[in-house]
């Protein structure tokens, strides 16, 4: 992993809202960030809607490992590939 | 910098203390960033006492205010901007 701008994979496992906040923040220094929601659907809350707007401003299109969501779905194989391709995997 | 450690869980101290001691013994350069309720890990006095060994030790100000209010923070208060900057300068990143 080289110094400078990185390709980061952020796994949103424990707290989806916080993961969105961290993902948007990580783009500030030019990192390419992929955000993957895991463990369950993203709750429909005003706080999450606000963070989703921040993701949009940060050019992050979130993905999910949860089936039947209105987001791009990552199968286990695709998730494994994303982990291999990333410079760093951050799990929140 | 060799390593950035992201702390986003409050019960990270039992793992972090021996890890940071080992990093110090081998002469590694590391930074640490506390976010969300991971800031609660700083309640552990042994962990807080190791923070002076870090190249940078930063807690997300938003998270600190959320979980600890006006209490004094044992590390530098910063933002997700600091996190992004630390990620840029770290050779490796791990999360706890």
């Amino acid at each position: 992993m080289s110094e400078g701008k990185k390709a980061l994979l952020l796994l949103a496992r424990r707290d989806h809202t916080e993961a969105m906040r961290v993902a948007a923040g990580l783009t500030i220094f030019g990192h390419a960030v992929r955000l993957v929601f895991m463990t369950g659907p993203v709750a429909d809350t005003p706080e999450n809607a606000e963070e989703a707007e921040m993701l949009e401003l940060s050019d992050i299109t979130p993905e999910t490992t949860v089936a039947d969501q209105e987001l791009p779905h990552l199968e286990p194989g695709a998730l494994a590939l994303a982990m291999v391709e990333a410079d760093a995997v951050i799990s929140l | 910098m060799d390593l950035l450690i992201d702390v986003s869980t409050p019960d990270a101290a039992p793992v972090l203390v021996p890890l940071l001691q080992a990093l110090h013994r081998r002469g590694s350069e590391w930074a640490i960033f506390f976010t969300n309720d991971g800031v609660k890990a700083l309640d552990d006095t042994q962990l807080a006492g190791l923070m002076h060994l870090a190249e940078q030790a930063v807690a997300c100000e938003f998270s600190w205010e959320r979980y600890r209010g006006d209490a004094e923070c044992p590390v530098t208060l910063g933002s997700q901007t600091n996190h992004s900057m630390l990620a840029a300068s770290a050779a490796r990143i791990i999360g706890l």
Side-chain angles (χ1 to χ4, degrees):
Chain A
M1 188 159 53
S2 61
E3 188 167 318
K5 294 178 184 176
K6 293 181 170 63
L8 302 174
L9 175 65
L10 203 159
L11 304 180
R13 297 168 56 236
R14 187 166 161 263
D15 187 326
H16 291 158
T17 311
E18 170 72 357
M20 286 191 272
R21 193 171 73 87
V22 171
L26 279 169
T27 63
I28 294 169
F29 272 73
H31 305 301
V33 179
R34 281 180 81 174
L35 173 64
V36 180
F37 294 118
M38 306 179 78
T39 65
V42 178
D44 185 10
T45 65
E47 197 176 11
N48 281 347
E50 193 174 315
E51 295 298 342
E53 283 184 24
M54 288 301 298
L55 290 182
E56 200 171 328
L57 289 171
S58 306
D59 286 330
I60 297 173
T61 303
E63 301 156 273
T64 182
T65 60
V66 181
D68 302 324
Q69 302 298 300
E70 294 177 358
L71 292 170
H73 184 242
L74 272 187
E75 299 287 349
L79 177 62
L81 182 61
M83 294 172 78
V84 169
E85 289 176 341
D87 290 321
V89 180
I90 300 172
S91 176
L92 293 181
Chain B
M1 180 172 65
D2 300 316
L3 181 66
L4 167 63
I5 304 165
D6 286 337
V7 182
S8 63
T9 52
D11 52 355
V15 175
L16 267 176
V17 167
L19 172 64
L20 299 184
Q21 290 168 334
L23 287 169
H24 180 60
R25 283 196 299 273
R26 77 184 299 272
S28 295
E29 297 175 346
W30 54 273
I32 191 163
F33 185 80
F34 296 86
T35 193
N36 206 27
D37 56 355
V39 297
K40 295 178 181 176
L42 286 164
D43 292 346
D44 186 290
T45 53
Q46 198 177 2
L47 175 62
L50 294 170
M51 291 299 98
H52 69 283
L53 300 174
E55 290 237 329
Q56 289 191 62
V58 181
C60 170
E61 188 171 19
F62 175 85
S63 301
W64 183 262
E65 286 180 4
R66 183 176 179 188
Y67 292 102
R68 287 295 174 263
D70 294 330
E72 188 175 344
C73 183
V75 298
T76 304
L77 287 174
S79 69
Q80 297 296 324
T81 304
N82 295 90
H83 186 215
S84 189
M85 180 186 66
L86 290 171
S89 59
R92 295 180 187 280
I93 303 170
I94 62 169
L96 290 174

